[in-house]
Amino acid sequence: MNQTRAVARPRPGAVPHFGRRGGPRGLAAWRERTGPGWPLVVILAGFPVWWVLGMGAFVFLLMALPMARHLYRRRNEIVVPRGFGLWLLFLAWVLLGAGVLWANAPGAVEGGGPGRLLVFGWRVAWYLAATVVLLFVGNLSERELPSSRISRLLALMFVFTTVGGLLGSFLPNLELTSPVEMVLPAGLAKNGFMADWIHPKVASIETILGFEQARPQAPFAYANTWGSAYAFFLPFFVISWLLHGTRARRAAGAAILLASLWPVVYSLNRGLWLALALSGLFVIGKILAGGNLTAINRTVGALLAGSLLVLASPLPGMVQARLDNPHSNNRRELLADQTVRSAMTGSPLVGFGSTRDVQGNLTSVAGGDRPGCKACGAPPLGTQGHIRLLIFATGLVGTITFCGFFAVRFWRHWRSRTPYGIAGSVVLLSFGLFLMTYDLVEIPLFTVMIATALMWRETRTETVR
């Protein structure tokens, strides 16, 4: 009797690389095991390595290329979420800004060199990478890339964020010269814009309270990025380690979460504190609305325990000290006022494509940075909050379409009671809060798009071609 033996066929898009026995080996074998979601594994599971190498930001952009290739191969099957037309219009409006990059903005220094195009291109690359990861995650099936795997990767990033925060708190002067920094020309490596990304350091030393205080930032480029990362990765850590983890993982997760509170308290990050409070209220409201008595009792118990922990911690004192030392509030308000006024009088619909250096120091044209007084100057117009960048760089149309896309996504999911629906809604709530104070173009926006895609995948019936 003739017998036939089934032969395993490679996945579409797999790169064949055969060893002695005809099976894939090396990189091809690893890709076969991880499936089409391997670029996310490279980025997130290996992120500390990329950060030490000086490639912490660049790896996101590089891995967006194989994701885009995957989408191109499936271009006839791609679906997009509701509201995606707003996002496409936003991207078109961003690109339109190339035509006004060298236009003079009211209240800004006139002229500008080729570096302005570099900054513009950097932001465009991140917006495109965020678009790619949204469609990449959203179009992969649960079989190809399980949501639980993505959640575990994001949870691992929370662990990295916690470790980096503790390093920044206890070893604030630790910094490294990365291999990328070594091979780049000295002029480029010392450029302030590049140095932030290629020179790993664990904390920034600031005098917000009137004395030197370390604000953790590892494994990211800025302290505020550390704060947004903590808020964005936390919901997935809770899902993967505390809700769906084994008993040992839950115990370890509780210890990690407790340890993470130290850098949260001493980060002096008001935006993060508010985001955590807002997220907590949203989740509590979801639990109470669900009517599950067991969940409600556990929530009440956790609230009581958490309240006692907060009262016994340094947090109340740190919050009061932070309120007593508003630090940059006045400068932020002046910058916001001048940013909006410059955009609305100079280019209200299109904006100016990118940021601009301020003439003087916001109160006097004759002011500005000088030796020994770096704070005498002012941040560029369009910084100190992503909403200001949107207004100044993309005008009213770009601001409305950007915010409109995320408002549509939140509106369609905020009633969800699934773990990933709640987690994504929490991320979008924090994102909306951070828009007012943080610059969110890079890693934060990329993460928000992954969270948005996870929510979208749960409701396939709402996708359109």
Side-chain angles (χ1 to χ4, degrees):
M1 181 169 57
N2 293 330
Q3 293 181 340
T4 57
R5 183 169 56 186
V7 178
R9 296 181 180 275
R11 285 191 184 92
V15 178
H17 187 169
F18 298 103
R20 294 178 183 175
R21 297 184 180 180
R25 66 180 183 182
L27 178 60
W30 179 80
R31 286 178 57 180
E32 278 291 298
R33 290 195 302 271
T34 55
W38 67 267
L40 285 180
V41 178
V42 170
I43 295 171
L44 302 177
F47 187 69
V49 176
W50 303 122
W51 177 70
V52 170
L53 292 175
M55 295 182 61
F58 303 103
V59 68
F60 287 81
L61 302 180
L62 291 174
M63 287 298 104
L65 297 177
M67 295 184 203
R69 179 176 179 272
H70 178 89
L71 290 172
Y72 179 77
R73 291 172 64 91
R74 295 188 177 183
R75 57 191 178 277
N76 295 326
E77 306 169 12
I78 290 178
V79 291
V80 300
R82 299 284 182 184
F84 192 69
L86 288 171
W87 183 256
L88 287 180
L89 181 56
F90 167 73
L91 292 179
W93 222 252
V94 169
L95 295 175
L96 193 63
V100 290
L101 275 179
W102 284 274
N104 291 326
V109 176
E110 296 184 357
R116 188 172 293 172
L117 186 60
L118 173 66
V119 176
F120 175 79
W122 175 260
R123 293 197 182 102
V124 169
W126 274 103
Y127 285 137
L128 293 176
T131 307
V132 167
V133 77
L134 170 72
L135 297 178
F136 178 76
V137 174
N139 278 274
L140 287 174
S141 68
E142 188 68 17
R143 179 185 59 82
E144 292 174 307
L145 182 59
S147 297
S148 59
R149 181 182 298 173
I150 301 174
S151 181
R152 287 194 299 270
L153 288 169
L154 296 175
L156 187 60
M157 283 294 290
F158 179 83
V159 177
F160 297 152
T161 303
T162 296
V163 173
L166 292 172
L167 283 174
S169 299
F170 294 105
L171 298 171
N173 295 316
L174 178 63
E175 54 185 283
L176 307 170
T177 300
S178 72
V180 170
E181 192 176 0
M182 294 177 186
V183 300
L184 284 179
L188 186 59
K190 297 298 181 183
N191 176 276
F193 178 76
M194 288 293 295
D196 289 337
W197 291 105
I198 65 174
H199 183 74
K201 60 180 182 177
V202 299
S204 59
I205 310 298
E206 301 183 20
T207 55
I208 294 175
L209 301 182
F211 55 88
E212 287 191 347
Q213 176 85 19
R215 299 188 66 203
Q217 65 183 55
F220 307 100
Y222 307 105
N224 284 345
T225 303
W226 185 91
S228 62
Y230 185 98
F232 293 161
F233 296 132
L234 174 60
F236 300 99
F237 177 80
V238 171
I239 292 172
S240 297
W241 287 63
L242 301 182
L243 294 182
H244 296 164
T246 62
R247 180 176 298 180
R249 183 177 285 267
R250 287 199 298 269
I256 293 170
L257 186 59
L258 187 62
S260 74
L261 296 180
W262 181 278
V264 167
V265 170
Y266 285 95
S267 68
L268 302 179
N269 198 317
R270 293 170 297 178
L272 175 58
W273 297 343
L274 288 174
L276 294 178
L278 180 62
S279 300
L281 290 174
F282 181 81
V283 173
I284 290 169
K286 283 287 184 182
I287 293 172
L288 295 178
N292 186 314
L293 291 179
T294 301
I296 291 173
N297 289 334
R298 289 179 179 175
T299 301
V300 171
L303 282 174
L304 291 174
S307 299
L308 293 174
L309 181 63
V310 168
L311 291 174
S313 74
L315 182 58
M318 295 298 290
V319 171
Q320 186 59 52
R322 188 68 176 88
L323 293 175
D324 293 339
N325 294 271
H327 185 56
S328 59
N329 283 8
N330 184 55
R331 188 171 67 170
R332 281 180 179 272
E333 291 172 3
L334 289 172
L335 182 66
D337 178 70
Q338 188 156 330
T339 294
V340 174
R341 191 181 329 118
S342 177
M344 292 303 99
T345 57
S347 182
L349 295 180
V350 180
F352 291 101
S354 188
T355 57
R356 297 285 194 281
D357 289 332
V358 178
Q359 286 185 8
N361 63 358
L362 297 176
T363 57
S364 170
V365 175
D369 284 338
R370 59 177 183 266
C373 186
K374 190 174 182 179
C376 293
L381 297 175
T383 60
Q384 305 292 302
H386 193 72
I387 193 71
R388 298 185 183 99
L389 173 64
L390 291 171
I391 293 171
F392 190 80
T394 64
L396 290 175
V397 176
T399 304
I400 292 170
T401 51
F402 180 95
C403 296
F405 170 72
F406 290 106
V408 169
R409 299 317 309 158
F410 179 77
W411 180 254
R412 299 193 70 87
H413 296 287
W414 74 272
R415 297 180 183 86
S416 172
R417 293 180 182 173
T418 65
Y420 299 118
I422 294 174
S425 297
V426 164
V427 168
L428 288 180
L429 279 175
S430 298
F431 182 66
L433 180 64
F434 292 153
L435 280 175
M436 303 298 135
T437 53
Y438 293 170
D439 297 324
L440 299 168
V441 176
E442 291 101 0
I443 297 174
L445 180 60
F446 196 94
T447 306
V448 168
M449 285 301 202
I450 296 176
T452 301
L454 283 175
M455 291 192 298
W456 164 38
R457 289 196 344 170
E458 291 188 326
T459 53
R460 280 296 185 185
T461 54
E462 69 167 271
T463 54
V464 296
R465 292 203 179 271

